[in-house]
Amino acid sequence: MTKIRAAVTAIHGYVPDYVLTNAELETMVDTTDEWITTRTGIKERRILKGEGKGTSVMATEAVKGLLEKRGISPDEVDLLICSTVTPDMKFPATANLISHKAGIKNAFSFDTNAACSGFIYTLVTAAQYVETGRYKKVVVVGADKMSSIVDYTDRQTCVIFGDGAAAVLLEPTTEEVGVMDHKFQSDGCGHIHLHMKAGGSAYPPTHENIDAREHYVYQEGQAVFKFAVRNMADVALDVMNRNNLSSEDVAWLVPHQANMRIIEAISRRSCVPMEKVMVNIHKYGNTTNATIPLCLWEWENQLKKGDNIILAAFGGGFTWGSVLLKWAY
Ligand code: UT7
């Protein structure tokens, strides 16, 4: 029997209009454009402003644009999965809100959370629904309003993150394109280095933990940096090797956009030269679940059918992984 694969058949992204520049951050915390640029590669990031506006606002824009682009009606969608660490509310799932706002009525929807690896984990999860043959149109949206959980008095973290969303449509194909292979791993020992302590069931919100600013991202940057470089590069190389792909066979490497120095280290370790590495960190910073699909969206015009694209991510948990995606159009 011919294998059904899940092909990405459309992609669309959305970033909010407000641009938070390094110059503006200089007025908020003790930092400089020079430090941020040389240590992270980030020049600006987008911020979603407005009372009551959550992640679903951006994700809905991405999803609506996606369906329009592919020329399909919201009624045709079977499943929508939203990968986020900044859901609008603890429940219901932000995916339910997105489906509602985008007019998707004949689908089921739920959220996933694997921090910065969330988009690639969810892409593979969604692909498996498509590969069963039962689901024909599955939307995966990676979206985060990181500005809602970033402490704008903590100069080490507030300069890094930004807001954004991007969505892909997966459809079945019998051609040799789509989600071809993946390798994922996680290790919960990493939670001490990167987490948001308060607001969950272990530490529900109290005046005390909010005063202690425990409802914001806590990150030990250097520790995370070391794990990120080693694990992201190793897993990307594993996926390349077991698919017999040399760096020449790889059309594009799409790393999670956490730090320009991490991206360059992964390029060196995997021998995929920087001209084949997608980078938009200078414009958007680290948008957590949106970094990888935002890159694919921006590069869409340069992608060709059959291109081997290596996606690689590392994030809180720790979680990390890599996907081989063969571009389908
Ligand atoms: O996406 C999920 C995974 N996350 C990551 O992969 C992030 C990984 N980590 C990083 O990207 C980097 O560790 C950071 C960008 C977070 C920090 O960069 P770093 O080069 O590791 O800086 P550091 O923490 O070693 O700090 C070096 C110095 C310190 O000063 P002293 O102690 O040497 O005097 C910091 O206080 O830089 C200082 N510093 C800053 N100075 C100006 C830290 N943040 C800033 C800042 N502006 N914004």
Side-chain angles (χ1 to χ4, degrees):
M1 217 172 79
T2 324
K3 182 170 168 46
I4 299 173
R5 293 195 181 277
V8 171
T9 55
I11 182 152
H12 197 67
Y14 175 84
V15 289
D17 293 335
Y18 191 85
V19 179
L20 175 58
T21 60
N22 290 351
E24 187 175 353
L25 279 165
E26 283 178 353
T27 68
M28 296 159 67
V29 285
D30 181 15
T31 193
T32 59
D33 172 49
E34 203 262 331
W35 191 96
I36 304 171
T37 306
T38 54
R39 303 308 292 168
T40 72
I42 302 167
K43 295 302 275 183
E44 57 190 44
R45 64 293 288 142
R46 299 300 180 97
I47 303 294
L48 181 65
K49 299 269 188 186
E51 184 76 20
K53 288 191 175 173
T55 294
S56 71
V57 169
M58 298 181 291
T60 303
E61 289 301 320
V63 170
K64 280 182 172 170
L66 178 81
L67 301 183
E68 228 173 84
K69 215 163 156 180
R70 181 71 180 140
I72 63 168
S73 126
D75 291 341
E76 294 176 60
V77 175
D78 301 308
L79 164 63
L80 181 144
I81 314 178
C82 175
S83 177
T84 186
V85 295
T86 52
D88 281 26
M89 299 176 219
K90 221 112 185 85
F91 76 91
T94 298
N96 304 150
L97 305 175
I98 300 164
S99 290
H100 173 65
K101 291 183 196 179
I104 295 172
K105 293 197 172 68
N106 298 324
F108 68 109
S109 52
F110 60 88
D111 287 357
T112 55
N113 177 353
C116 296
S117 306
F119 178 78
I120 61 170
Y121 279 29
T122 309
L123 183 72
V124 170
T125 303
Q128 291 179 42
Y129 280 94
V130 173
E131 287 164 13
T132 64
R134 185 165 165 190
Y135 300 93
K136 310 284 188 230
K137 292 195 168 40
V138 177
V139 174
V140 176
V141 53
D144 271 302
K145 182 184 170 184
M146 292 306 292
S147 60
S148 66
I149 57 168
V150 163
D151 182 353
Y152 285 97
T153 65
D154 173 5
R155 68 177 182 172
Q156 207 225 52
T157 52
C158 76
V159 300
I160 304 173
F161 292 103
D163 302 339
V168 297
L169 181 69
L170 289 178
E171 294 183 75
T173 178
T174 50
E175 291 186 67
E176 277 298 287
V177 293
V179 179
M180 308 299 287
D181 192 19
H182 70 277
K183 185 176 176 193
F184 293 157
Q185 214 169 330
S186 49
D187 186 345
C189 80
H191 79 281
I192 51 171
H193 304 296
L194 180 53
H195 59 255
M196 187 177 123
K197 186 173 174 182
S201 56
Y203 300 98
T206 61
H207 287 295
E208 289 72 25
N209 62 34
I210 287 174
D211 286 347
R213 312 186 84 76
E214 289 171 352
H215 61 308
Y216 290 127
V217 174
Y218 170 83
Q219 174 169 257
E220 292 160 11
Q222 281 193 13
V224 178
F225 190 101
K226 284 185 199 134
F227 277 100
V229 169
R230 193 178 61 236
N231 289 320
M232 235 201 293
D234 286 356
V235 76
L237 268 173
D238 278 354
V239 169
M240 284 165 62
N241 289 338
R242 70 190 203 188
N243 288 281
N244 299 317
L245 296 176
S246 70
S247 55
E248 285 86 61
D249 302 319
V250 172
W252 297 100
L253 172 66
V254 193
H256 169 54
Q257 312 278 302
N259 186 312
M260 192 59 196
R261 289 180 294 138
I262 298 178
I263 295 170
E264 286 167 349
I266 290 160
S267 158
R268 275 194 303 277
R269 283 178 173 231
S270 62
C271 299
V272 178
M274 279 306 287
E275 55 271 22
K276 293 206 276 186
V277 180
M278 295 187 194
V279 179
N280 62 13
I281 192 171
H282 51 291
K283 291 194 292 187
Y284 304 137
N286 181 351
T287 54
T288 303
N289 279 281
T291 61
I292 289 175
L294 277 176
C295 279
L296 290 171
W297 172 54
E298 285 201 84
W299 264 259
E300 187 186 15
N301 290 340
Q302 295 181 54
L303 301 179
K304 293 190 292 296
K305 186 169 179 177
D307 274 355
N308 290 311
I309 304 175
I310 298 287
L311 315 177
F314 181 89
F318 293 137
T319 55
W320 63 98
S322 180
V323 173
L324 168 60
L325 179 68
K326 246 188 204 293
W327 201 246
Y329 60 95

